[in-house]
Amino acid sequence: MKKFVLMLSCLLALASVFGQERGARLSFEKTEHNFGDVPHKAKQIECSFDFTNDGSAPLVITKIVTSCTCTKADYPKKPVMPGQKGSIRIIYEPGKKDAGMFYKAVEVYSNSADAKRKTIVIRGKAIE
């Protein structure tokens, strides 16, 4: 019985190692940026979201969708190799909306094995 349990545990351990997803893996250092108070009449403000490809295959960001026209994104168009880092630059134009709190979601689509879509967020308060 002890041999059976030992053998079963070894098989389960091997299955968990070999069963892990292979491929690209998009891993952000942070997924939210708070600008705090920003002047309503500011032309534009920006921040960066740094990421790493923690996978075993090249990472390709296929598209980025912003939640409004006041938000734009700049991202690497070339594949990010395993172990390499990249950055997504988010540009927000507070002058395109009324003063007040803002919360903008940005959807990042890629070939990441763990999730094809990940969300990053910018927030703050546009003041007079």
Side-chain angles (χ1 to χ4, degrees):
M1 183 68 170
K2 288 182 183 179
K3 285 184 182 181
F4 176 74
V5 171
L6 180 62
M7 199 165 174
L8 183 60
S9 356
C10 288
L11 286 174
L12 288 174
L14 281 173
S16 70
V17 168
F18 289 110
Q20 290 179 352
E21 293 182 60
R22 299 219 183 274
R25 190 172 302 267
L26 175 61
S27 176
F28 283 102
E29 290 181 13
K30 65 177 183 175
T31 57
E32 185 174 316
H33 180 82
N34 188 342
F35 285 106
D37 292 344
V38 296
H40 168 64
K41 301 212 183 225
K43 261 194 164 173
Q44 68 182 30
I45 54 177
E46 59 184 71
C47 66
S48 293
F49 289 87
D50 297 329
F51 65 87
T52 304
N53 178 0
D54 288 333
S56 59
L59 172 71
V60 178
I61 296 177
T62 54
K63 70 178 176 178
I64 292 185
V65 178
T66 60
S67 60
C68 106
T69 58
C70 60
T71 309
K72 297 186 178 15
D74 184 31
Y75 60 95
K77 308 303 188 266
K78 293 182 179 179
V80 177
M81 295 298 132
Q84 297 296 307
K85 294 181 179 286
S87 183
I88 296 173
R89 186 170 64 123
I90 304 298
I91 302 143
Y92 174 66
E93 298 174 355
K96 287 193 171 184
K97 70 177 270 325
D98 294 328
M101 301 296 288
F102 63 88
Y103 177 95
K104 305 295 176 186
V106 178
E107 303 292 333
V108 179
Y109 292 84
S110 71
N111 66 332
S112 184
D114 60 340
K116 303 296 181 204
R117 180 187 66 169
K118 293 196 175 183
T119 304
I120 53 180
V121 172
I122 61 169
R123 66 174 57 225
K125 182 178 182 183
I127 56 175
E128 293 291 332

mmCIF file of all heavy atoms in Angstrom, residues 84-120:
data_model
loop_
_atom_site.group_PDB
_atom_site.id
_atom_site.type_symbol
_atom_site.label_atom_id
_atom_site.label_comp_id
_atom_site.label_asym_id
_atom_site.label_seq_id
_atom_site.Cartn_x
_atom_site.Cartn_y
_atom_site.Cartn_z
ATOM 1 N N GLN A 84 11.990 38.594 -21.671
ATOM 2 C CA GLN A 84 12.189 40.008 -21.992
ATOM 3 C C GLN A 84 11.068 40.868 -21.420
ATOM 4 O O GLN A 84 9.990 40.375 -21.108
ATOM 5 C CB GLN A 84 12.250 40.204 -23.513
ATOM 6 C CG GLN A 84 13.412 39.492 -24.168
ATOM 7 C CD GLN A 84 14.747 40.045 -23.703
ATOM 8 O OE1 GLN A 84 14.993 41.233 -23.764
ATOM 9 N NE2 GLN A 84 15.605 39.159 -23.225
ATOM 10 N N LYS A 85 11.339 42.162 -21.314
ATOM 11 C CA LYS A 85 10.372 43.117 -20.777
ATOM 12 C C LYS A 85 9.865 44.024 -21.887
ATOM 13 O O LYS A 85 10.519 44.186 -22.912
ATOM 14 C CB LYS A 85 11.007 43.966 -19.683
ATOM 15 C CG LYS A 85 11.379 43.164 -18.453
ATOM 16 C CD LYS A 85 11.977 44.061 -17.384
ATOM 17 C CE LYS A 85 12.326 43.291 -16.142
ATOM 18 N NZ LYS A 85 11.200 42.915 -15.349
ATOM 19 N N GLY A 86 8.708 44.612 -21.636
ATOM 20 C CA GLY A 86 8.127 45.576 -22.554
ATOM 21 C C GLY A 86 7.323 46.579 -21.754
ATOM 22 O O GLY A 86 7.207 46.479 -20.536
ATOM 23 N N SER A 87 6.748 47.552 -22.456
ATOM 24 C CA SER A 87 5.994 48.590 -21.790
ATOM 25 C C SER A 87 4.822 49.034 -22.662
ATOM 26 O O SER A 87 4.954 49.139 -23.874
ATOM 27 C CB SER A 87 6.926 49.776 -21.502
ATOM 28 O OG SER A 87 6.246 50.774 -20.790
ATOM 29 N N ILE A 88 3.701 49.286 -22.009
ATOM 30 C CA ILE A 88 2.532 49.837 -22.680
ATOM 31 C C ILE A 88 2.347 51.245 -22.141
ATOM 32 O O ILE A 88 2.252 51.449 -20.927
ATOM 33 C CB ILE A 88 1.277 48.980 -22.410
ATOM 34 C CG1 ILE A 88 1.464 47.588 -23.001
ATOM 35 C CG2 ILE A 88 0.032 49.667 -22.973
ATOM 36 C CD1 ILE A 88 0.362 46.624 -22.649
ATOM 37 N N ARG A 89 2.333 52.224 -23.043
ATOM 38 C CA ARG A 89 2.168 53.624 -22.643
ATOM 39 C C ARG A 89 0.708 54.021 -22.835
ATOM 40 O O ARG A 89 0.142 53.831 -23.911
ATOM 41 C CB ARG A 89 3.070 54.519 -23.478
ATOM 42 C CG ARG A 89 3.065 55.972 -23.042
ATOM 43 C CD ARG A 89 4.144 56.743 -23.747
ATOM 44 N NE ARG A 89 3.892 56.781 -25.174
ATOM 45 C CZ ARG A 89 3.771 57.901 -25.895
ATOM 46 N NH1 ARG A 89 3.913 59.068 -25.326
ATOM 47 N NH2 ARG A 89 3.537 57.837 -27.180
ATOM 48 N N ILE A 90 0.098 54.538 -21.788
ATOM 49 C CA ILE A 90 -1.291 54.989 -21.830
ATOM 50 C C ILE A 90 -1.305 56.512 -21.778
ATOM 51 O O ILE A 90 -0.674 57.111 -20.908
ATOM 52 C CB ILE A 90 -2.111 54.411 -20.648
ATOM 53 C CG1 ILE A 90 -2.031 52.881 -20.635
ATOM 54 C CG2 ILE A 90 -3.550 54.899 -20.699
ATOM 55 C CD1 ILE A 90 -2.600 52.204 -21.854
ATOM 56 N N ILE A 91 -2.034 57.103 -22.708
ATOM 57 C CA ILE A 91 -2.149 58.556 -22.797
ATOM 58 C C ILE A 91 -3.606 58.933 -22.544
ATOM 59 O O ILE A 91 -4.505 58.411 -23.212
ATOM 60 C CB ILE A 91 -1.703 59.059 -24.178
ATOM 61 C CG1 ILE A 91 -0.265 58.619 -24.445
ATOM 62 C CG2 ILE A 91 -1.847 60.576 -24.281
ATOM 63 C CD1 ILE A 91 0.011 58.243 -25.861
ATOM 64 N N TYR A 92 -3.817 59.817 -21.576
ATOM 65 C CA TYR A 92 -5.170 60.256 -21.227
ATOM 66 C C TYR A 92 -5.273 61.767 -21.441
ATOM 67 O O TYR A 92 -4.375 62.515 -21.052
ATOM 68 C CB TYR A 92 -5.474 59.907 -19.769
ATOM 69 C CG TYR A 92 -6.802 60.440 -19.280
ATOM 70 C CD1 TYR A 92 -7.998 59.959 -19.805
ATOM 71 C CD2 TYR A 92 -6.863 61.437 -18.314
ATOM 72 C CE1 TYR A 92 -9.219 60.459 -19.367
ATOM 73 C CE2 TYR A 92 -8.078 61.930 -17.866
ATOM 74 C CZ TYR A 92 -9.248 61.445 -18.402
ATOM 75 O OH TYR A 92 -10.453 61.939 -17.981
ATOM 76 N N GLU A 93 -6.347 62.199 -22.074
ATOM 77 C CA GLU A 93 -6.587 63.618 -22.345
ATOM 78 C C GLU A 93 -7.783 64.086 -21.523
ATOM 79 O O GLU A 93 -8.925 63.935 -21.949
ATOM 80 C CB GLU A 93 -6.835 63.824 -23.837
ATOM 81 C CG GLU A 93 -5.657 63.426 -24.698
ATOM 82 C CD GLU A 93 -5.952 63.488 -26.184
ATOM 83 O OE1 GLU A 93 -7.105 63.758 -26.576
ATOM 84 O OE2 GLU A 93 -5.013 63.262 -26.954
ATOM 85 N N PRO A 94 -7.532 64.664 -20.339
ATOM 86 C CA PRO A 94 -8.643 65.057 -19.469
ATOM 87 C C PRO A 94 -9.509 66.161 -20.068
ATOM 88 O O PRO A 94 -10.679 66.284 -19.744
ATOM 89 C CB PRO A 94 -7.972 65.528 -18.184
ATOM 90 C CG PRO A 94 -6.558 65.786 -18.538
ATOM 91 C CD PRO A 94 -6.239 64.950 -19.726
ATOM 92 N N GLY A 95 -8.973 66.993 -20.959
ATOM 93 C CA GLY A 95 -9.732 68.077 -21.547
ATOM 94 C C GLY A 95 -10.892 67.626 -22.402
ATOM 95 O O GLY A 95 -11.772 68.401 -22.758
ATOM 96 N N LYS A 96 -10.954 66.350 -22.750
ATOM 97 C CA LYS A 96 -12.029 65.836 -23.588
ATOM 98 C C LYS A 96 -13.274 65.462 -22.790
ATOM 99 O O LYS A 96 -14.253 65.027 -23.360
ATOM 100 C CB LYS A 96 -11.546 64.626 -24.380
ATOM 101 C CG LYS A 96 -10.603 64.977 -25.501
ATOM 102 C CD LYS A 96 -10.423 63.798 -26.422
ATOM 103 C CE LYS A 96 -9.661 64.210 -27.654
ATOM 104 N NZ LYS A 96 -9.553 63.128 -28.598
ATOM 105 N N LYS A 97 -13.223 65.606 -21.476
ATOM 106 C CA LYS A 97 -14.406 65.288 -20.667
ATOM 107 C C LYS A 97 -14.541 66.315 -19.553
ATOM 108 O O LYS A 97 -13.641 67.112 -19.332
ATOM 109 C CB LYS A 97 -14.349 63.859 -20.118
ATOM 110 C CG LYS A 97 -13.306 63.622 -19.043
ATOM 111 C CD LYS A 97 -13.367 62.240 -18.504
ATOM 112 C CE LYS A 97 -14.206 61.961 -17.368
ATOM 113 N NZ LYS A 97 -14.644 62.449 -16.270
ATOM 114 N N ASP A 98 -15.666 66.312 -18.901
ATOM 115 C CA ASP A 98 -15.888 67.240 -17.795
ATOM 116 C C ASP A 98 -14.988 66.913 -16.616
ATOM 117 O O ASP A 98 -14.492 65.796 -16.483
ATOM 118 C CB ASP A 98 -17.354 67.172 -17.341
ATOM 119 C CG ASP A 98 -18.296 67.670 -18.420
ATOM 120 O OD1 ASP A 98 -17.891 68.564 -19.182
ATOM 121 O OD2 ASP A 98 -19.428 67.166 -18.499
ATOM 122 N N ALA A 99 -14.815 67.918 -15.752
ATOM 123 C CA ALA A 99 -14.024 67.712 -14.547
ATOM 124 C C ALA A 99 -14.711 66.688 -13.650
ATOM 125 O O ALA A 99 -15.918 66.524 -13.681
ATOM 126 C CB ALA A 99 -13.850 69.030 -13.803
ATOM 127 N N GLY A 100 -13.919 66.009 -12.877
ATOM 128 C CA GLY A 100 -14.447 65.013 -11.948
ATOM 129 C C GLY A 100 -13.615 63.744 -11.967
ATOM 130 O O GLY A 100 -12.558 63.672 -12.581
ATOM 131 N N MET A 101 -14.113 62.744 -11.260
ATOM 132 C CA MET A 101 -13.419 61.463 -11.167
ATOM 133 C C MET A 101 -13.421 60.766 -12.524
ATOM 134 O O MET A 101 -14.390 60.851 -13.268
ATOM 135 C CB MET A 101 -14.095 60.558 -10.138
ATOM 136 C CG MET A 101 -14.155 61.150 -8.731
ATOM 137 S SD MET A 101 -12.551 61.400 -7.979
ATOM 138 C CE MET A 101 -12.062 59.744 -7.627
ATOM 139 N N PHE A 102 -12.320 60.088 -12.826
ATOM 140 C CA PHE A 102 -12.293 59.261 -14.035
ATOM 141 C C PHE A 102 -11.710 57.893 -13.705
ATOM 142 O O PHE A 102 -10.886 57.745 -12.816
ATOM 143 C CB PHE A 102 -11.551 59.944 -15.185
ATOM 144 C CG PHE A 102 -10.085 60.199 -14.929
ATOM 145 C CD1 PHE A 102 -9.116 59.250 -15.218
ATOM 146 C CD2 PHE A 102 -9.670 61.429 -14.411
ATOM 147 C CE1 PHE A 102 -7.781 59.498 -15.004
ATOM 148 C CE2 PHE A 102 -8.327 61.687 -14.184
ATOM 149 C CZ PHE A 102 -7.377 60.725 -14.479
ATOM 150 N N TYR A 103 -12.213 56.912 -14.425
ATOM 151 C CA TYR A 103 -11.792 55.513 -14.283
ATOM 152 C C TYR A 103 -11.852 54.930 -15.686
ATOM 153 O O TYR A 103 -12.937 54.833 -16.271
ATOM 154 C CB TYR A 103 -12.742 54.771 -13.346
ATOM 155 C CG TYR A 103 -12.432 53.301 -13.181
ATOM 156 C CD1 TYR A 103 -11.652 52.849 -12.125
ATOM 157 C CD2 TYR A 103 -12.932 52.355 -14.068
ATOM 158 C CE1 TYR A 103 -11.375 51.500 -11.963
ATOM 159 C CE2 TYR A 103 -12.658 51.007 -13.914
ATOM 160 C CZ TYR A 103 -11.872 50.589 -12.860
ATOM 161 O OH TYR A 103 -11.599 49.254 -12.715
ATOM 162 N N LYS A 104 -10.713 54.591 -16.243
ATOM 163 C CA LYS A 104 -10.656 54.101 -17.616
ATOM 164 C C LYS A 104 -10.010 52.720 -17.643
ATOM 165 O O LYS A 104 -8.884 52.528 -17.189
ATOM 166 C CB LYS A 104 -9.853 55.056 -18.509
ATOM 167 C CG LYS A 104 -10.362 56.479 -18.492
ATOM 168 C CD LYS A 104 -11.737 56.573 -19.078
ATOM 169 C CE LYS A 104 -12.281 57.982 -18.965
ATOM 170 N NZ LYS A 104 -13.654 58.093 -19.389
ATOM 171 N N ALA A 105 -10.750 51.777 -18.200
ATOM 172 C CA ALA A 105 -10.229 50.420 -18.359
ATOM 173 C C ALA A 105 -9.615 50.284 -19.746
ATOM 174 O O ALA A 105 -10.134 50.821 -20.723
ATOM 175 C CB ALA A 105 -11.348 49.407 -18.182
ATOM 176 N N VAL A 106 -8.510 49.578 -19.810
ATOM 177 C CA VAL A 106 -7.815 49.330 -21.065
ATOM 178 C C VAL A 106 -7.650 47.814 -21.191
ATOM 179 O O VAL A 106 -7.033 47.186 -20.330
ATOM 180 C CB VAL A 106 -6.438 50.040 -21.090
ATOM 181 C CG1 VAL A 106 -5.699 49.730 -22.372
ATOM 182 C CG2 VAL A 106 -6.609 51.545 -20.897
ATOM 183 N N GLU A 107 -8.220 47.247 -22.240
ATOM 184 C CA GLU A 107 -8.152 45.797 -22.464
ATOM 185 C C GLU A 107 -6.949 45.476 -23.349
ATOM 186 O O GLU A 107 -6.819 46.026 -24.443
ATOM 187 C CB GLU A 107 -9.429 45.298 -23.144
ATOM 188 C CG GLU A 107 -10.698 45.610 -22.381
ATOM 189 C CD GLU A 107 -10.816 44.843 -21.089
ATOM 190 O OE1 GLU A 107 -10.252 43.744 -20.990
ATOM 191 O OE2 GLU A 107 -11.475 45.362 -20.171
ATOM 192 N N VAL A 108 -6.086 44.589 -22.872
ATOM 193 C CA VAL A 108 -4.883 44.189 -23.599
ATOM 194 C C VAL A 108 -5.089 42.763 -24.103
ATOM 195 O O VAL A 108 -5.252 41.831 -23.308
ATOM 196 C CB VAL A 108 -3.630 44.266 -22.696
ATOM 197 C CG1 VAL A 108 -2.387 43.834 -23.456
ATOM 198 C CG2 VAL A 108 -3.469 45.661 -22.118
ATOM 199 N N TYR A 109 -5.100 42.599 -25.414
ATOM 200 C CA TYR A 109 -5.278 41.287 -26.032
ATOM 201 C C TYR A 109 -3.930 40.778 -26.519
ATOM 202 O O TYR A 109 -3.172 41.518 -27.151
ATOM 203 C CB TYR A 109 -6.243 41.376 -27.218
ATOM 204 C CG TYR A 109 -7.663 41.677 -26.817
ATOM 205 C CD1 TYR A 109 -8.084 42.988 -26.601
ATOM 206 C CD2 TYR A 109 -8.582 40.651 -26.641
ATOM 207 C CE1 TYR A 109 -9.382 43.271 -26.220
ATOM 208 C CE2 TYR A 109 -9.887 40.936 -26.259
ATOM 209 C CZ TYR A 109 -10.283 42.239 -26.052
ATOM 210 O OH TYR A 109 -11.569 42.511 -25.665
ATOM 211 N N SER A 110 -3.656 39.505 -26.218
ATOM 212 C CA SER A 110 -2.368 38.923 -26.605
ATOM 213 C C SER A 110 -2.513 37.414 -26.779
ATOM 214 O O SER A 110 -3.593 36.860 -26.617
ATOM 215 C CB SER A 110 -1.317 39.218 -25.525
ATOM 216 O OG SER A 110 -1.590 38.455 -24.367
ATOM 217 N N ASN A 111 -1.398 36.774 -27.075
ATOM 218 C CA ASN A 111 -1.378 35.318 -27.178
ATOM 219 C C ASN A 111 -0.947 34.664 -25.870
ATOM 220 O O ASN A 111 -0.481 33.522 -25.862
ATOM 221 C CB ASN A 111 -0.452 34.884 -28.324
ATOM 222 C CG ASN A 111 1.005 35.215 -28.052
ATOM 223 O OD1 ASN A 111 1.333 36.159 -27.338
ATOM 224 N ND2 ASN A 111 1.909 34.442 -28.641
ATOM 225 N N SER A 112 -1.111 35.358 -24.744
ATOM 226 C CA SER A 112 -0.722 34.829 -23.439
ATOM 227 C C SER A 112 -1.481 33.536 -23.147
ATOM 228 O O SER A 112 -2.693 33.469 -23.326
ATOM 229 C CB SER A 112 -1.003 35.866 -22.349
ATOM 230 O OG SER A 112 -0.551 35.409 -21.103
ATOM 231 N N ALA A 113 -0.767 32.526 -22.690
ATOM 232 C CA ALA A 113 -1.376 31.221 -22.446
ATOM 233 C C ALA A 113 -2.356 31.236 -21.283
ATOM 234 O O ALA A 113 -3.325 30.484 -21.267
ATOM 235 C CB ALA A 113 -0.284 30.179 -22.178
ATOM 236 N N ASP A 114 -2.142 32.112 -20.299
ATOM 237 C CA ASP A 114 -3.010 32.103 -19.125
ATOM 238 C C ASP A 114 -4.269 32.944 -19.305
ATOM 239 O O ASP A 114 -5.285 32.674 -18.669
ATOM 240 C CB ASP A 114 -2.248 32.535 -17.868
ATOM 241 C CG ASP A 114 -1.677 33.938 -17.968
ATOM 242 O OD1 ASP A 114 -1.528 34.446 -19.086
ATOM 243 O OD2 ASP A 114 -1.368 34.522 -16.917
ATOM 244 N N ALA A 115 -4.239 33.969 -20.144
ATOM 245 C CA ALA A 115 -5.427 34.798 -20.391
ATOM 246 C C ALA A 115 -5.199 35.586 -21.671
ATOM 247 O O ALA A 115 -4.216 36.321 -21.766
ATOM 248 C CB ALA A 115 -5.692 35.737 -19.224
ATOM 249 N N LYS A 116 -6.081 35.448 -22.618
ATOM 250 C CA LYS A 116 -5.943 36.155 -23.897
ATOM 251 C C LYS A 116 -6.250 37.640 -23.754
ATOM 252 O O LYS A 116 -5.855 38.436 -24.579
ATOM 253 C CB LYS A 116 -6.878 35.554 -24.956
ATOM 254 C CG LYS A 116 -6.668 34.083 -25.205
ATOM 255 C CD LYS A 116 -5.299 33.820 -25.766
ATOM 256 C CE LYS A 116 -5.112 32.345 -26.041
ATOM 257 N NZ LYS A 116 -3.743 31.944 -26.041
ATOM 258 N N ARG A 117 -6.972 38.018 -22.692
ATOM 259 C CA ARG A 117 -7.317 39.413 -22.450
ATOM 260 C C ARG A 117 -7.029 39.748 -20.996
ATOM 261 O O ARG A 117 -7.463 39.049 -20.090
ATOM 262 C CB ARG A 117 -8.786 39.656 -22.756
ATOM 263 C CG ARG A 117 -9.200 41.096 -22.513
ATOM 264 C CD ARG A 117 -10.667 41.268 -22.660
ATOM 265 N NE ARG A 117 -11.302 40.502 -21.584
ATOM 266 C CZ ARG A 117 -12.574 40.579 -21.267
ATOM 267 N NH1 ARG A 117 -13.381 41.328 -21.944
ATOM 268 N NH2 ARG A 117 -13.070 39.862 -20.288
ATOM 269 N N LYS A 118 -6.289 40.837 -20.787
ATOM 270 C CA LYS A 118 -6.026 41.324 -19.440
ATOM 271 C C LYS A 118 -6.410 42.792 -19.397
ATOM 272 O O LYS A 118 -6.338 43.498 -20.396
ATOM 273 C CB LYS A 118 -4.559 41.143 -19.067
ATOM 274 C CG LYS A 118 -4.177 39.683 -18.941
ATOM 275 C CD LYS A 118 -2.882 39.488 -18.217
ATOM 276 C CE LYS A 118 -2.632 38.002 -18.036
ATOM 277 N NZ LYS A 118 -1.440 37.741 -17.278
ATOM 278 N N THR A 119 -6.816 43.248 -18.214
ATOM 279 C CA THR A 119 -7.272 44.621 -18.049
ATOM 280 C C THR A 119 -6.295 45.409 -17.188
ATOM 281 O O THR A 119 -5.875 44.940 -16.129
ATOM 282 C CB THR A 119 -8.668 44.642 -17.385
ATOM 283 O OG1 THR A 119 -9.559 43.863 -18.177
ATOM 284 C CG2 THR A 119 -9.198 46.060 -17.283
ATOM 285 N N ILE A 120 -5.943 46.600 -17.683
ATOM 286 C CA ILE A 120 -5.194 47.553 -16.882
ATOM 287 C C ILE A 120 -6.080 48.789 -16.735
ATOM 288 O O ILE A 120 -6.970 49.022 -17.551
ATOM 289 C CB ILE A 120 -3.811 47.892 -17.492
ATOM 290 C CG1 ILE A 120 -3.939 48.351 -18.944
ATOM 291 C CG2 ILE A 120 -2.886 46.702 -17.384
ATOM 292 C CD1 ILE A 120 -2.621 48.711 -19.602
#
